[in-house]
PDB file of all heavy atoms in Angstrom:
ATOM      1  N   ILE A   1      90.853 107.258 113.893  1.00  0.00           N
ATOM      2  CA  ILE A   1      90.709 108.399 112.972  1.00  0.00           C
ATOM      3  C   ILE A   1      91.955 109.231 112.971  1.00  0.00           C
ATOM      4  O   ILE A   1      92.375 109.814 111.933  1.00  0.00           O
ATOM      5  CB  ILE A   1      89.479 109.255 113.347  1.00  0.00           C
ATOM      6  CG1 ILE A   1      88.209 108.368 113.240  1.00  0.00           C
ATOM      7  CG2 ILE A   1      89.427 110.448 112.455  1.00  0.00           C
ATOM      8  CD1 ILE A   1      86.945 109.056 113.669  1.00  0.00           C
ATOM      9  N   VAL A   2      92.613 109.361 114.156  1.00  0.00           N
ATOM     10  CA  VAL A   2      93.842 110.193 114.211  1.00  0.00           C
ATOM     11  C   VAL A   2      95.051 109.489 113.646  1.00  0.00           C
ATOM     12  O   VAL A   2      95.911 110.043 113.018  1.00  0.00           O
ATOM     13  CB  VAL A   2      94.099 110.575 115.713  1.00  0.00           C
ATOM     14  CG1 VAL A   2      95.437 111.260 115.897  1.00  0.00           C
ATOM     15  CG2 VAL A   2      93.001 111.433 116.230  1.00  0.00           C
ATOM     16  N   GLY A   3      95.091 108.137 113.848  1.00  0.00           N
ATOM     17  CA  GLY A   3      96.312 107.378 113.478  1.00  0.00           C
ATOM     18  C   GLY A   3      96.613 107.459 111.994  1.00  0.00           C
ATOM     19  O   GLY A   3      97.812 107.576 111.612  1.00  0.00           O
ATOM     20  N   TYR A   4      95.658 107.307 111.160  1.00  0.00           N
ATOM     21  CA  TYR A   4      95.907 107.165 109.698  1.00  0.00           C
ATOM     22  C   TYR A   4      96.396 108.533 109.105  1.00  0.00           C
ATOM     23  O   TYR A   4      97.343 108.492 108.338  1.00  0.00           O
ATOM     24  CB  TYR A   4      94.663 106.689 108.942  1.00  0.00           C
ATOM     25  CG  TYR A   4      94.411 105.200 109.157  1.00  0.00           C
ATOM     26  CD1 TYR A   4      93.366 104.755 109.904  1.00  0.00           C
ATOM     27  CD2 TYR A   4      95.303 104.295 108.587  1.00  0.00           C
ATOM     28  CE1 TYR A   4      93.115 103.419 110.000  1.00  0.00           C
ATOM     29  CE2 TYR A   4      95.185 102.930 108.780  1.00  0.00           C
ATOM     30  CZ  TYR A   4      94.088 102.454 109.523  1.00  0.00           C
ATOM     31  OH  TYR A   4      93.898 101.168 109.704  1.00  0.00           O
ATOM     32  N   PRO A   5      95.770 109.694 109.403  1.00  0.00           N
ATOM     33  CA  PRO A   5      96.372 110.856 108.859  1.00  0.00           C
ATOM     34  C   PRO A   5      97.765 111.178 109.455  1.00  0.00           C
ATOM     35  O   PRO A   5      98.620 111.749 108.813  1.00  0.00           O
ATOM     36  CB  PRO A   5      95.388 111.973 109.275  1.00  0.00           C
ATOM     37  CG  PRO A   5      94.542 111.363 110.332  1.00  0.00           C
ATOM     38  CD  PRO A   5      94.467 109.958 110.008  1.00  0.00           C
ATOM     39  N   LEU A   6      97.989 110.772 110.775  1.00  0.00           N
ATOM     40  CA  LEU A   6      99.323 110.924 111.322  1.00  0.00           C
ATOM     41  C   LEU A   6     100.339 110.082 110.561  1.00  0.00           C
ATOM     42  O   LEU A   6     101.456 110.510 110.294  1.00  0.00           O
ATOM     43  CB  LEU A   6      99.288 110.502 112.767  1.00  0.00           C
ATOM     44  CG  LEU A   6     100.589 110.507 113.537  1.00  0.00           C
ATOM     45  CD1 LEU A   6     101.106 112.032 113.566  1.00  0.00           C
ATOM     46  CD2 LEU A   6     100.454 110.074 114.970  1.00  0.00           C
ATOM     47  N   ALA A   7      99.914 108.879 110.202  1.00  0.00           N
ATOM     48  CA  ALA A   7     100.842 108.029 109.363  1.00  0.00           C
ATOM     49  C   ALA A   7     101.098 108.694 108.066  1.00  0.00           C
ATOM     50  O   ALA A   7     102.270 108.631 107.554  1.00  0.00           O
ATOM     51  CB  ALA A   7     100.136 106.600 109.110  1.00  0.00           C
ATOM     52  N   GLY A   8     100.104 109.309 107.469  1.00  0.00           N
ATOM     53  CA  GLY A   8     100.318 109.952 106.186  1.00  0.00           C
ATOM     54  C   GLY A   8     101.313 111.141 106.334  1.00  0.00           C
ATOM     55  O   GLY A   8     102.192 111.347 105.441  1.00  0.00           O
ATOM     56  N   LEU A   9     101.215 111.850 107.394  1.00  0.00           N
ATOM     57  CA  LEU A   9     102.162 112.988 107.686  1.00  0.00           C
ATOM     58  C   LEU A   9     103.590 112.474 107.861  1.00  0.00           C
ATOM     59  O   LEU A   9     104.567 113.116 107.390  1.00  0.00           O
ATOM     60  CB  LEU A   9     101.711 113.801 108.863  1.00  0.00           C
ATOM     61  CG  LEU A   9     100.402 114.654 108.712  1.00  0.00           C
ATOM     62  CD1 LEU A   9      99.973 115.245 110.036  1.00  0.00           C
ATOM     63  CD2 LEU A   9     100.659 115.643 107.664  1.00  0.00           C
ATOM     64  N   VAL A  10     103.700 111.353 108.553  1.00  0.00           N
ATOM     65  CA  VAL A  10     105.041 110.734 108.797  1.00  0.00           C
ATOM     66  C   VAL A  10     105.617 110.268 107.413  1.00  0.00           C
ATOM     67  O   VAL A  10     106.848 110.462 107.116  1.00  0.00           O
ATOM     68  CB  VAL A  10     104.892 109.563 109.766  1.00  0.00           C
ATOM     69  CG1 VAL A  10     106.247 108.743 109.814  1.00  0.00           C
ATOM     70  CG2 VAL A  10     104.520 110.024 111.142  1.00  0.00           C
ATOM     71  N   LEU A  11     104.823 109.677 106.550  1.00  0.00           N
ATOM     72  CA  LEU A  11     105.286 109.310 105.196  1.00  0.00           C
ATOM     73  C   LEU A  11     105.713 110.508 104.509  1.00  0.00           C
ATOM     74  O   LEU A  11     106.737 110.416 103.696  1.00  0.00           O
ATOM     75  CB  LEU A  11     104.154 108.534 104.554  1.00  0.00           C
ATOM     76  CG  LEU A  11     103.924 107.101 104.958  1.00  0.00           C
ATOM     77  CD1 LEU A  11     102.690 106.489 104.160  1.00  0.00           C
ATOM     78  CD2 LEU A  11     105.134 106.179 104.699  1.00  0.00           C
ATOM     79  N   LEU A  12     104.896 111.573 104.516  1.00  0.00           N
ATOM     80  CA  LEU A  12     105.283 112.733 103.793  1.00  0.00           C
ATOM     81  C   LEU A  12     106.566 113.396 104.297  1.00  0.00           C
ATOM     82  O   LEU A  12     107.433 113.800 103.537  1.00  0.00           O
ATOM     83  CB  LEU A  12     104.147 113.783 103.914  1.00  0.00           C
ATOM     84  CG  LEU A  12     104.292 115.111 103.089  1.00  0.00           C
ATOM     85  CD1 LEU A  12     104.284 114.743 101.584  1.00  0.00           C
ATOM     86  CD2 LEU A  12     103.136 116.062 103.421  1.00  0.00           C
ATOM     87  N   TRP A  13     106.764 113.401 105.650  1.00  0.00           N
ATOM     88  CA  TRP A  13     107.912 113.945 106.227  1.00  0.00           C
ATOM     89  C   TRP A  13     109.145 113.194 105.976  1.00  0.00           C
ATOM     90  O   TRP A  13     110.234 113.700 105.762  1.00  0.00           O
ATOM     91  CB  TRP A  13     107.655 114.125 107.747  1.00  0.00           C
ATOM     92  CG  TRP A  13     108.890 114.438 108.551  1.00  0.00           C
ATOM     93  CD1 TRP A  13     109.525 115.644 108.584  1.00  0.00           C
ATOM     94  CD2 TRP A  13     109.691 113.554 109.307  1.00  0.00           C
ATOM     95  NE1 TRP A  13     110.631 115.535 109.420  1.00  0.00           N
ATOM     96  CE2 TRP A  13     110.768 114.269 109.850  1.00  0.00           C
ATOM     97  CE3 TRP A  13     109.505 112.209 109.668  1.00  0.00           C
ATOM     98  CZ2 TRP A  13     111.690 113.710 110.702  1.00  0.00           C
ATOM     99  CZ3 TRP A  13     110.499 111.622 110.514  1.00  0.00           C
ATOM    100  CH2 TRP A  13     111.530 112.434 110.999  1.00  0.00           C
ATOM    101  N   SER A  14     108.987 111.780 105.893  1.00  0.00           N
ATOM    102  CA  SER A  14     110.150 110.904 105.721  1.00  0.00           C
ATOM    103  C   SER A  14     110.390 110.540 104.304  1.00  0.00           C
ATOM    104  O   SER A  14     111.162 109.597 104.097  1.00  0.00           O
ATOM    105  CB  SER A  14     109.983 109.680 106.579  1.00  0.00           C
ATOM    106  OG  SER A  14     108.804 108.961 106.233  1.00  0.00           O
ATOM    107  N   HIS A  15     109.592 111.157 103.355  1.00  0.00           N
ATOM    108  CA  HIS A  15     109.786 110.776 101.915  1.00  0.00           C
ATOM    109  C   HIS A  15     109.457 109.286 101.692  1.00  0.00           C
ATOM    110  O   HIS A  15     110.247 108.578 101.080  1.00  0.00           O
ATOM    111  CB  HIS A  15     111.230 111.127 101.394  1.00  0.00           C
ATOM    112  CG  HIS A  15     111.517 112.627 101.604  1.00  0.00           C
ATOM    113  ND1 HIS A  15     110.902 113.669 100.890  1.00  0.00           N
ATOM    114  CD2 HIS A  15     112.360 113.179 102.461  1.00  0.00           C
ATOM    115  CE1 HIS A  15     111.395 114.775 101.307  1.00  0.00           C
ATOM    116  NE2 HIS A  15     112.266 114.543 102.228  1.00  0.00           N
ATOM    117  N   ASN A  16     108.315 108.869 102.305  1.00  0.00           N
ATOM    118  CA  ASN A  16     107.874 107.509 102.070  1.00  0.00           C
ATOM    119  C   ASN A  16     108.713 106.361 102.704  1.00  0.00           C
ATOM    120  O   ASN A  16     108.662 105.239 102.242  1.00  0.00           O
ATOM    121  CB  ASN A  16     107.579 107.221 100.561  1.00  0.00           C
ATOM    122  CG  ASN A  16     106.441 107.989 100.090  1.00  0.00           C
ATOM    123  OD1 ASN A  16     105.388 108.134 100.686  1.00  0.00           O
ATOM    124  ND2 ASN A  16     106.597 108.517  98.839  1.00  0.00           N
ATOM    125  N   GLN A  17     109.507 106.729 103.735  1.00  0.00           N
ATOM    126  CA  GLN A  17     110.256 105.754 104.411  1.00  0.00           C
ATOM    127  C   GLN A  17     109.402 105.272 105.555  1.00  0.00           C
ATOM    128  O   GLN A  17     108.851 106.101 106.335  1.00  0.00           O
ATOM    129  CB  GLN A  17     111.597 106.349 104.930  1.00  0.00           C
ATOM    130  CG  GLN A  17     112.480 106.786 103.850  1.00  0.00           C
ATOM    131  CD  GLN A  17     112.924 105.665 103.014  1.00  0.00           C
ATOM    132  OE1 GLN A  17     113.304 104.570 103.471  1.00  0.00           O
ATOM    133  NE2 GLN A  17     112.935 105.897 101.650  1.00  0.00           N
ATOM    134  N   THR A  18     109.330 103.949 105.753  1.00  0.00           N
ATOM    135  CA  THR A  18     108.382 103.344 106.758  1.00  0.00           C
ATOM    136  C   THR A  18     109.038 103.057 108.123  1.00  0.00           C
ATOM    137  O   THR A  18     108.337 102.651 108.989  1.00  0.00           O
ATOM    138  CB  THR A  18     107.769 102.036 106.173  1.00  0.00           C
ATOM    139  OG1 THR A  18     108.861 101.128 105.893  1.00  0.00           O
ATOM    140  CG2 THR A  18     107.015 102.334 104.957  1.00  0.00           C
ATOM    141  N   THR A  19     110.320 103.300 108.248  1.00  0.00           N
ATOM    142  CA  THR A  19     111.007 102.946 109.544  1.00  0.00           C
ATOM    143  C   THR A  19     110.320 103.657 110.729  1.00  0.00           C
ATOM    144  O   THR A  19     110.072 103.017 111.696  1.00  0.00           O
ATOM    145  CB  THR A  19     112.499 103.323 109.462  1.00  0.00           C
ATOM    146  OG1 THR A  19     113.023 102.637 108.364  1.00  0.00           O
ATOM    147  CG2 THR A  19     113.191 102.861 110.702  1.00  0.00           C
ATOM    148  N   ALA A  20     110.100 104.945 110.599  1.00  0.00           N
ATOM    149  CA  ALA A  20     109.550 105.741 111.655  1.00  0.00           C
ATOM    150  C   ALA A  20     108.178 105.193 112.006  1.00  0.00           C
ATOM    151  O   ALA A  20     107.761 105.194 113.222  1.00  0.00           O
ATOM    152  CB  ALA A  20     109.489 107.184 111.279  1.00  0.00           C
ATOM    153  N   LEU A  21     107.398 104.779 111.014  1.00  0.00           N
ATOM    154  CA  LEU A  21     106.066 104.262 111.246  1.00  0.00           C
ATOM    155  C   LEU A  21     106.117 103.003 112.108  1.00  0.00           C
ATOM    156  O   LEU A  21     105.323 102.845 113.092  1.00  0.00           O
ATOM    157  CB  LEU A  21     105.362 103.959 110.003  1.00  0.00           C
ATOM    158  CG  LEU A  21     104.797 105.153 109.150  1.00  0.00           C
ATOM    159  CD1 LEU A  21     104.174 104.730 107.885  1.00  0.00           C
ATOM    160  CD2 LEU A  21     103.823 105.951 110.043  1.00  0.00           C
ATOM    161  N   PHE A  22     107.040 102.091 111.787  1.00  0.00           N
ATOM    162  CA  PHE A  22     107.154 100.871 112.617  1.00  0.00           C
ATOM    163  C   PHE A  22     107.609 101.120 113.986  1.00  0.00           C
ATOM    164  O   PHE A  22     107.115 100.441 114.931  1.00  0.00           O
ATOM    165  CB  PHE A  22     108.025  99.854 111.881  1.00  0.00           C
ATOM    166  CG  PHE A  22     107.406  99.149 110.746  1.00  0.00           C
ATOM    167  CD1 PHE A  22     107.724  99.479 109.430  1.00  0.00           C
ATOM    168  CD2 PHE A  22     106.494  98.147 110.997  1.00  0.00           C
ATOM    169  CE1 PHE A  22     107.121  98.820 108.366  1.00  0.00           C
ATOM    170  CE2 PHE A  22     105.836  97.460 109.920  1.00  0.00           C
ATOM    171  CZ  PHE A  22     106.137  97.803 108.642  1.00  0.00           C
ATOM    172  N   LEU A  23     108.522 102.099 114.163  1.00  0.00           N
ATOM    173  CA  LEU A  23     108.925 102.477 115.549  1.00  0.00           C
ATOM    174  C   LEU A  23     107.760 103.011 116.409  1.00  0.00           C
ATOM    175  O   LEU A  23     107.558 102.658 117.520  1.00  0.00           O
ATOM    176  CB  LEU A  23     110.065 103.464 115.486  1.00  0.00           C
ATOM    177  CG  LEU A  23     111.353 102.941 114.954  1.00  0.00           C
ATOM    178  CD1 LEU A  23     112.351 104.108 114.832  1.00  0.00           C
ATOM    179  CD2 LEU A  23     111.957 101.821 115.911  1.00  0.00           C
ATOM    180  N   LEU A  24     106.987 103.878 115.817  1.00  0.00           N
ATOM    181  CA  LEU A  24     105.840 104.481 116.476  1.00  0.00           C
ATOM    182  C   LEU A  24     104.783 103.413 116.776  1.00  0.00           C
ATOM    183  O   LEU A  24     104.138 103.358 117.802  1.00  0.00           O
ATOM    184  CB  LEU A  24     105.180 105.604 115.615  1.00  0.00           C
ATOM    185  CG  LEU A  24     106.020 106.883 115.521  1.00  0.00           C
ATOM    186  CD1 LEU A  24     105.383 107.833 114.422  1.00  0.00           C
ATOM    187  CD2 LEU A  24     106.164 107.612 116.843  1.00  0.00           C
ATOM    188  N   ASP A  25     104.604 102.488 115.789  1.00  0.00           N
ATOM    189  CA  ASP A  25     103.616 101.411 115.979  1.00  0.00           C
ATOM    190  C   ASP A  25     104.045 100.528 117.122  1.00  0.00           C
ATOM    191  O   ASP A  25     103.228 100.089 117.925  1.00  0.00           O
ATOM    192  CB  ASP A  25     103.505 100.628 114.669  1.00  0.00           C
ATOM    193  CG  ASP A  25     102.240  99.781 114.626  1.00  0.00           C
ATOM    194  OD1 ASP A  25     101.281 100.179 115.247  1.00  0.00           O
ATOM    195  OD2 ASP A  25     102.280  98.720 114.027  1.00  0.00           O
ATOM    196  N   GLY A  26     105.311 100.222 117.192  1.00  0.00           N
ATOM    197  CA  GLY A  26     105.850  99.397 118.311  1.00  0.00           C
ATOM    198  C   GLY A  26     105.640  99.988 119.642  1.00  0.00           C
ATOM    199  O   GLY A  26     105.347  99.372 120.576  1.00  0.00           O
ATOM    200  N   LEU A  27     105.796 101.326 119.675  1.00  0.00           N
ATOM    201  CA  LEU A  27     105.613 102.066 120.995  1.00  0.00           C
ATOM    202  C   LEU A  27     104.139 101.968 121.388  1.00  0.00           C
ATOM    203  O   LEU A  27     103.829 101.949 122.584  1.00  0.00           O
ATOM    204  CB  LEU A  27     106.072 103.505 120.751  1.00  0.00           C
ATOM    205  CG  LEU A  27     107.517 103.788 120.695  1.00  0.00           C
ATOM    206  CD1 LEU A  27     107.823 105.238 120.396  1.00  0.00           C
ATOM    207  CD2 LEU A  27     108.273 103.309 121.951  1.00  0.00           C
ATOM    208  N   THR A  28     103.172 102.100 120.456  1.00  0.00           N
ATOM    209  CA  THR A  28     101.800 101.922 120.838  1.00  0.00           C
ATOM    210  C   THR A  28     101.486 100.548 121.463  1.00  0.00           C
ATOM    211  O   THR A  28     100.731 100.488 122.393  1.00  0.00           O
ATOM    212  CB  THR A  28     100.854 102.199 119.599  1.00  0.00           C
ATOM    213  OG1 THR A  28     101.077 101.196 118.651  1.00  0.00           O
ATOM    214  CG2 THR A  28     101.117 103.543 118.977  1.00  0.00           C
ATOM    215  N   PHE A  29     102.082  99.532 120.872  1.00  0.00           N
ATOM    216  CA  PHE A  29     101.839  98.138 121.359  1.00  0.00           C
ATOM    217  C   PHE A  29     102.473  98.050 122.796  1.00  0.00           C
ATOM    218  O   PHE A  29     101.952  97.395 123.693  1.00  0.00           O
ATOM    219  CB  PHE A  29     102.437  97.128 120.481  1.00  0.00           C
ATOM    220  CG  PHE A  29     101.514  96.789 119.307  1.00  0.00           C
ATOM    221  CD1 PHE A  29     101.791  97.332 118.109  1.00  0.00           C
ATOM    222  CD2 PHE A  29     100.361  95.996 119.485  1.00  0.00           C
ATOM    223  CE1 PHE A  29     100.938  96.983 117.024  1.00  0.00           C
ATOM    224  CE2 PHE A  29      99.573  95.644 118.418  1.00  0.00           C
ATOM    225  CZ  PHE A  29      99.841  96.187 117.212  1.00  0.00           C
ATOM    226  N   LEU A  30     103.701  98.624 122.956  1.00  0.00           N
ATOM    227  CA  LEU A  30     104.334  98.642 124.256  1.00  0.00           C
ATOM    228  C   LEU A  30     103.464  99.367 125.290  1.00  0.00           C
ATOM    229  O   LEU A  30     103.266  98.897 126.438  1.00  0.00           O
ATOM    230  CB  LEU A  30     105.706  99.304 124.203  1.00  0.00           C
ATOM    231  CG  LEU A  30     106.507  99.374 125.487  1.00  0.00           C
ATOM    232  CD1 LEU A  30     106.750  98.057 126.073  1.00  0.00           C
ATOM    233  CD2 LEU A  30     107.824 100.134 125.257  1.00  0.00           C
TER     234      LEU A  30
END
């Protein structure tokens, strides 16, 4: 429930750039 709105905020902050999302996603898997 927390992850998806956080992703929306990252998209809003980065002007729809997905690089930061993939980095954060990679850290969660790590």
Side-chain angles (χ1 to χ4, degrees):
I1 298 176
V2 174
Y4 285 111
L6 179 61
L9 291 175
V10 172
L11 285 174
L12 184 64
W13 169 75
S14 62
H15 303 288
N16 291 320
Q17 298 298 315
T18 59
T19 302
L21 284 177
F22 281 106
L23 290 174
L24 290 172
D25 197 31
L27 289 175
T28 64
F29 280 102
L30 178 61

